[in-house]
Amino acid sequence: MNWLFAFLYRLFGWTIIGTPPRHLKKAIWTVCPHWNSGDFFIGIGARATIKVKMGFLAKSTLFKWYSGWFFRALGGYPVYREKSNNLVEAVAETFHQNDTIHIAIAPEGTRSNTSRLKTGFYYMALKAKVPLVLVGFDYGRKAVVFGGTVTVTGDYAKDMKPFYDFYLTIQSPKKEWLQNYEQTGVVALPKN
């Protein structure tokens, strides 16, 4: 089925810019901006095109009785926001238990405009000791752009500066979190 997603990706005029880090055995692939539900199909098409086996985290409401099989078949793992669970610990443990694993995450956590990123992706990478792969959905160029990797150290503001700088280069509408950074040069710290 990957060939079909890769074919449709190209048929709709989308391309790849940059070099995906295929050599990595483990990574969290951060995908921004996340504006609409069509992003999912762009991501699936890009994944098929670059030929990297990758799962993804998605809100649990997508995994209904009639659609759950589809999202699971494509590598989806449901995130239960309404339950009190430690997703960061669970994902980190999954990374530790596998020799090769790649997970895609939308750090904004929503299609809506937001003034801050969710920070789970950062702490998952920190606990799992895996890099973040920067992936931009560039609607201006109809391209998925690969912007290198970031190794997280626990210094959130310092680690996230190259992350924010990369997403400033993506030609898509900028959400408030990125607009604020563009105006001030200050990485918004996580809420306590």
Side-chain angles (χ1 to χ4, degrees), residues 90-103:
V91 171
E93 185 57 31
T94 300
F95 272 97
H96 293 309
Q97 292 173 356
N98 288 277
D99 293 331
T100 303
I101 183 171
H102 297 269
I103 300 282

Side-chain angles (χ1 to χ4, degrees), residues 3 10 31 33 49 55-56 66 77 83 103-104 106 110 169 173-174:
W3 67 269
R10 289 189 301 274
V31 181
T49 301
F56 59 91
Y66 54 85
Y77 300 94
K83 288 185 179 178
I103 300 282
T110 180
T169 69
K174 292 177 177 39

Side-chain angles (χ1 to χ4, degrees), residues 21-149:
R22 291 183 186 91
H23 65 284
L24 294 175
K25 289 186 174 270
K26 301 180 183 185
I28 292 176
W29 300 59
T30 61
V31 181
C32 292
H34 179 35
W35 279 108
N36 63 60
S37 54
D39 295 343
F40 174 76
F41 296 102
I42 293 167
I44 295 295
R47 180 182 75 177
T49 301
I50 65 170
K51 298 181 174 126
V52 172
K53 184 178 178 187
M54 185 181 322
F56 59 91
L57 300 180
K59 61 185 176 179
S60 61
T61 55
L62 294 175
F63 294 81
K64 303 282 188 193
W65 66 269
Y66 54 85
S67 59
W69 65 271
F70 176 73
F71 290 108
R72 282 185 183 86
L74 292 175
Y77 300 94
V79 174
Y80 298 93
R81 296 177 181 168
E82 59 280 351
K83 288 185 179 178
S84 176
N85 58 13
N86 196 330
L87 184 62
V88 170
E89 291 289 338
V91 171
E93 185 57 31
T94 300
F95 272 97
H96 293 309
Q97 292 173 356
N98 288 277
D99 293 331
T100 303
I101 183 171
H102 297 269
I103 300 282
I105 297 176
E108 295 160 327
T110 180
R111 294 186 309 253
S112 302
N113 195 6
T114 183
S115 61
R116 290 182 187 269
L117 295 175
K118 302 285 187 188
T119 56
F121 75 98
Y122 178 86
Y123 293 106
M124 288 171 192
L126 186 64
K127 283 201 164 286
K129 297 182 173 121
V130 298
L132 299 174
V133 176
L134 308 181
V135 183
F137 283 3
D138 193 315
Y139 281 89
R141 295 181 279 183
K142 285 187 86 169
V144 171
V145 182
F146 292 94
T149 62

